[in-house]
Amino acid sequence: MFKVAMSEQAPAAVADVLASGHIGQGAKVDEFEDALRSRVGNPRLATVNSGTAGLQMALRLAGAEGGEVLSTPLTFVATNWAIMAAGLRIRWVDLDPSTLNADLDDLAAKVSPETTAIMVVHWAGYPVDLARVAAIADECERRHGRRPAIIEDCAQAWGATYAGRPLGNHGNLAVYSFQAIKHITCGDGGLVVFPDDDSSRRGRLMRWFGLDRDPGALPRPEQNVAEWGLKFHMNDISAAIGLANLDGVDERVRRHRANAAYYDRELKDVAGLELTRPVPGSEPSYWVYPVKVKRRDDFVARLAAAGIAAGQLDPRNDRHACVAAYAEPLPKLDAVHDQIVCLPVGWWLSEQDREHIVNTIKSGW
Ligand SMILES: Cc1ncc(COP(=O)(O)O)c(C=O)c1O
């Protein structure tokens, strides 16, 4: 289902850093951040050492001290365990069976004075309707006098756009992951994109104990930490890998999209299979290609017998014992959870591979 996208330039780039005498956060991180600024289209950002660290930073920046975070159960557990790490309560939002993202009617119903933040996950690289989420937060402010922060988990969504702009340009805190099998990998790494100068300044300090490492900073012994931070920073080794892998990422995303368009055409009339619907105004990056199928176990077994890796990817998070206290009825998720399966859709598929996948599915299961 996945393949690591590693540039042939990466080993030499890493060797240069290793030989340079500086392997911590330094010039390569600065260079990577400059390259990311022009790609994301927002100058306010900070690399971190994982998407999970980025989510924890975002939750602190959101002023999330106490209270509840509305979140989806259909995501990798990193999204929700970051909420636990921040000492906040999770309130589950039901699933929209057509988009497989949070049901925004349920979100609107559950937002309350207790809502400190709304965690939006662009699952599988399919953007959420951010205009509607913003309207829900605005309405909460009108009714309760406080606007919940919106945090976007873009870990699976490098390259996706909403309203014609890359994620990270919609007035929210947005967090990407550069973990091993993402569209861009640093080995491990992440990126936080900030909506304003104040959160950018705080975040860039928070990623390394609250101390300033930017050019022009006061000497360390003269610095006084106003807001403590943790060890979230990226190092030059990871940044060198990320920089090398930035070259070629547009082509990789293009191939994910071309494969998805092929599946859209070929699978739309297959009985017993339902496609996932992107929201209007969005362009997904298709990290994987999720569909709903009848008799999922038979479907997965049929594909496995033909040498095709397909699977559930992210099972619902709300059934884990560690979040039992937050359990609540999620009828729409219940109705479709056991039908959701992800197909490989990535840059590594040849035309023959994707034809083989489609023909296998069309032959029945
Ligand atoms: C939806 C989602 N959120 C967060 C993360 C965490 O990212 P990282 O592994 O970089 O900490 C992942 C990683 O797979 C993810 O898929």
Side-chain angles (χ1 to χ4, degrees), residues 6-335:
M6 188 57 69
S7 161
E8 287 176 4
Q9 315 303 322
V14 169
D16 283 350
V17 171
L18 295 182
S20 73
H22 187 107
I23 60 173
Q25 184 196 331
K28 277 289 157 196
V29 169
D30 293 343
E31 198 183 329
F32 188 35
E33 290 185 344
D34 280 342
L36 290 166
R37 282 186 181 96
S38 60
R39 282 174 174 271
V40 175
N42 183 339
R44 300 180 215 90
L45 52 76
T47 52
V48 284
N49 53 26
S50 71
T52 310
L55 289 169
Q56 290 185 48
M57 179 199 279
L59 284 156
R60 267 191 66 197
L61 288 171
E65 279 143 17
E68 164 174 290
V69 181
L70 295 173
S71 184
T72 175
L74 192 73
T75 178
F76 182 52
V77 291
T79 310
N80 290 311
W81 293 185
I83 300 171
M84 304 293 281
L88 299 162
R89 299 192 306 278
I90 299 171
R91 177 104 198 255
W92 300 116
V93 179
D94 208 349
L95 196 75
D96 177 340
S98 67
T99 65
L100 301 182
N101 278 324
D103 176 351
L104 300 186
D105 291 334
D106 197 41
L107 179 75
K110 286 177 176 165
V111 83
S112 80
E114 287 292 299
T115 311
T116 304
I118 297 171
M119 181 68 82
V120 167
V121 181
H122 306 291
W123 190 66
Y126 288 65
V128 171
D129 180 350
L130 291 173
R132 173 96 197 274
V133 176
I136 291 169
D138 290 344
E139 174 62 17
C140 180
E141 184 173 23
R142 260 193 301 280
R143 269 201 273 152
H144 306 299
R146 196 161 130 271
R147 191 179 197 273
I150 300 169
I151 300 172
E152 294 175 51
D153 182 340
C154 314
Q156 302 183 357
W158 179 269
T161 66
Y162 177 80
R165 300 188 299 280
L167 302 176
N169 290 282
H170 300 88
N172 309 317
L173 288 155
V175 179
Y176 285 97
S177 164
F178 301 140
Q179 171 267 348
I181 53 174
K182 296 299 177 350
H183 285 101
I184 302 172
T185 183
C186 293
D188 264 310
L191 176 72
V192 185
V193 189
F194 306 101
D196 53 57
D197 291 340
D198 186 53
S199 57
S200 173
R201 185 189 51 74
R202 286 176 60 206
R204 289 182 67 81
L205 291 171
M206 196 182 282
R207 72 168 156 180
W208 200 71
F209 303 111
L211 291 162
D212 192 349
R213 296 173 73 112
D214 280 342
L218 284 174
R220 186 113 14 103
E222 290 174 34
Q223 291 189 30
N224 187 318
V225 174
E227 186 175 19
W228 58 267
L230 287 169
K231 191 165 168 160
F232 290 156
H233 72 288
M234 180 174 282
N235 64 47
D236 273 9
I237 302 170
S238 306
I241 299 172
L243 259 173
N245 288 330
L246 261 186
D247 279 343
V249 70
D250 294 344
E251 172 58 14
R252 284 197 295 278
V253 172
R254 192 195 65 72
R255 287 173 65 179
H256 282 244
R257 286 200 175 119
N259 290 336
Y262 174 78
Y263 289 155
D264 287 349
R265 281 194 306 277
E266 294 293 328
L267 298 178
K268 67 177 188 311
D269 296 324
V270 172
L273 181 147
E274 205 183 313
L275 303 182
T276 303
R277 189 176 56 78
V279 297
S282 75
E283 201 178 4
S285 55
Y286 302 100
W287 187 51
V288 289
Y289 189 87
V291 294
K292 294 188 289 298
V293 293
K294 304 273 183 255
R295 291 179 290 103
R296 181 178 63 192
D297 290 350
D298 294 343
F299 181 89
V300 171
R302 172 77 189 93
L303 266 61
I308 302 161
Q312 198 180 354
L313 189 65
D314 291 326
R316 61 191 295 172
N317 295 180
D318 59 313
R319 293 275 166 86
H320 286 281
C322 63
V323 286
Y326 306 130
E328 68 173 290
L330 299 169
K332 293 181 179 171
L333 175 61
D334 292 344

